[in-house]
Amino acid sequence: MQTQSTLERIFHPIFENNNLIVSVKRDDNIHPIISGNKWRKLKFNLRFAKENNYTGIISFGGSFSNHIHALAFACQQQGLKSIGIIRGESDYASNYTLTMAQQWGMTLNFVDRKTYRLREDTDYLENLQQKYPDYLLVPEGGSNKLALAGVGEIITELNQQCEFDTLLTPVGSGGTLAGLIQADNNQHQLLGISVLKQDGYLTEQVNHLLSEEQHFYNWQILSAFHRGGYAKFSKEDEQRIVSFNLQTGFVFEPVYSGKMLLAFLDLIEQGYFSKGQRIVLLHTGGLQGIGGMLERKLLDGNVWSVPTLK
Ligand SMILES: Cc1ncc(COP(=O)(O)O)c(C=O)c1O
């Protein structure tokens, strides 16, 4: 498996008109299934589980979770078992994402929303650990301290690939941004685009993951670009992403990378970036999510297609 990603220049009239040099860090290309930040965040978790002789990994996610999808596959590849604690009803078991997760050997454990909210509660986690003593518990989104080193490799690669001023990434649970911040060590401006409406806790969550011995001042989470909340977007948002994809040949999806893209375009229009800035957009993958959105008719089936996951 190729574990580094390429950096590609992306051209669009709005970038030229504003004198911006824009590139995309193609983590979406790392692997069709464990793509984007999934591979980065899971890499050292998988290694830790193997080296410490765990039987498997337990983690948490929604019923269309990219993380659950990637974790199931990665565990199968590594000879580890996997259990997904899934928010929602068991009917979801036959959806696009979870069908594949089960094919890769994941056991699904559906819980109601109230129970799911306990996913970071110490007592709840202790009980879970007692029930499955030989399983490594990995938080939602794979965002724990082990994830940071894997994400940090993005910065190591970028430092060899280019010089840049600003990097943008979508933010869900904060692990990706935290890994970037720690590895970057205040070299560049890091902008996290929150894809959630209720994101007040995110800055604290990122700080919680970061090493306390260092002071990081080069990052910020922008909260105004969630477009209605997690996985919400308007027809107009969808059309803007589609036309950008058609113009550039890249595929941004509307839950993570597409929200970052729309935020970026809006920020350019607001004059946020100075002329000549060199900007990197981190494409965090998640293209499997398109399959689930097509299944629920949340995307126009005439323009989007189910990604090939082979
Ligand atoms: C495709 C994709 N991009 C970005 C993110 C956000 O990353 P994080 O949860 O580390 O903030 C996620 C969620 O993990 C994701 O699935």
Side-chain angles (χ1 to χ4, degrees), residues 35-38 41 65-67 140-143 151 169-177 195 202 230 253 256-257 283-287:
S35 88
N37 60 351
K38 300 292 145 297
K41 289 198 280 185
S65 162
N66 293 320
H67 165 62
E140 182 183 57
S143 290
V151 174
T169 184
V171 182
S173 58
T176 306
L177 181 60
V195 302
L202 268 181
Y230 180 70
E253 49 67 53
Y256 291 102
S257 56
H283 195 316
T284 49
L287 298 180

Side-chain angles (χ1 to χ4, degrees), residues 113-239:
R113 277 162 198 276
K114 202 170 150 214
T115 311
Y116 192 81
R117 259 182 247 123
L118 295 172
R119 65 192 179 280
E120 283 169 24
D121 180 86
T122 318
D123 291 342
Y124 173 76
L125 292 175
E126 264 174 26
N127 279 338
L128 200 61
Q129 191 70 82
Q130 269 169 23
K131 200 168 162 198
Y132 300 102
D134 49 349
Y135 276 71
L136 176 68
L137 299 190
V138 170
E140 182 183 57
S143 290
N144 56 10
K145 294 212 182 223
L146 283 171
L148 266 55
V151 174
E153 292 180 352
I154 298 173
I155 297 290
T156 312
E157 288 170 31
L158 278 173
N159 281 336
Q160 288 160 5
Q161 289 167 322
C162 67
E163 287 186 1
F164 66 101
D165 305 298
T166 302
L167 179 144
L168 274 77
T169 184
V171 182
S173 58
T176 306
L177 181 60
L180 295 168
I181 295 168
Q182 191 141 300
D184 192 63
N185 203 7
N186 302 317
Q187 292 176 83
H188 306 100
Q189 179 190 30
L190 304 178
L191 292 181
I193 307 299
S194 169
V195 302
L196 312 168
K197 194 170 177 182
Q198 261 119 23
D199 69 346
Y201 65 95
L202 268 181
T203 298
E204 198 188 320
Q205 189 145 314
V206 170
N207 274 321
H208 178 71
L209 286 167
L210 290 170
S211 146
E212 280 160 24
E213 284 116 54
Q214 284 162 280
H215 174 55
F216 302 104
Y217 47 80
N218 61 329
W219 64 281
Q220 200 181 345
I221 296 179
L222 302 182
S223 297
F225 301 98
H226 57 73
R227 315 200 105 81
Y230 180 70
K232 299 223 168 84
F233 49 89
S234 66
K235 273 278 147 216
E236 192 202 332
D237 294 333
E238 183 188 347
Q239 272 154 16

Side-chain angles (χ1 to χ4, degrees), residues 44-61:
F44 290 104
N45 276 292
L46 292 163
R47 193 174 289 178
F48 183 84
K50 293 278 283 185
E51 284 174 1
N52 291 282
N53 296 319
Y54 282 93
T55 304
I57 294 182
I58 300 185
S59 195
F60 305 82

Side-chain angles (χ1 to χ4, degrees), residues 232-299:
K232 299 223 168 84
F233 49 89
S234 66
K235 273 278 147 216
E236 192 202 332
D237 294 333
E238 183 188 347
Q239 272 154 16
R240 281 178 76 200
I241 296 171
V242 167
S243 78
F244 187 89
N245 286 349
L246 288 172
Q247 272 177 293
T248 59
F250 286 75
V251 180
F252 290 90
E253 49 67 53
V255 179
Y256 291 102
S257 56
K259 276 198 185 166
M260 168 189 66
L261 171 74
L262 294 181
F264 180 46
L265 297 176
D266 290 348
L267 287 167
I268 295 174
E269 268 171 27
Q270 292 166 18
Y272 185 92
F273 300 102
S274 50
K275 292 206 183 311
Q277 267 204 44
R278 298 156 302 178
I279 294 160
V280 174
L281 304 177
L282 175 62
H283 195 316
T284 49
L287 298 180
Q288 74 84 26
I290 294 173
M293 284 186 273
L294 283 169
E295 192 175 67
R296 287 172 288 162
K297 304 206 180 342
L298 297 176
L299 291 176

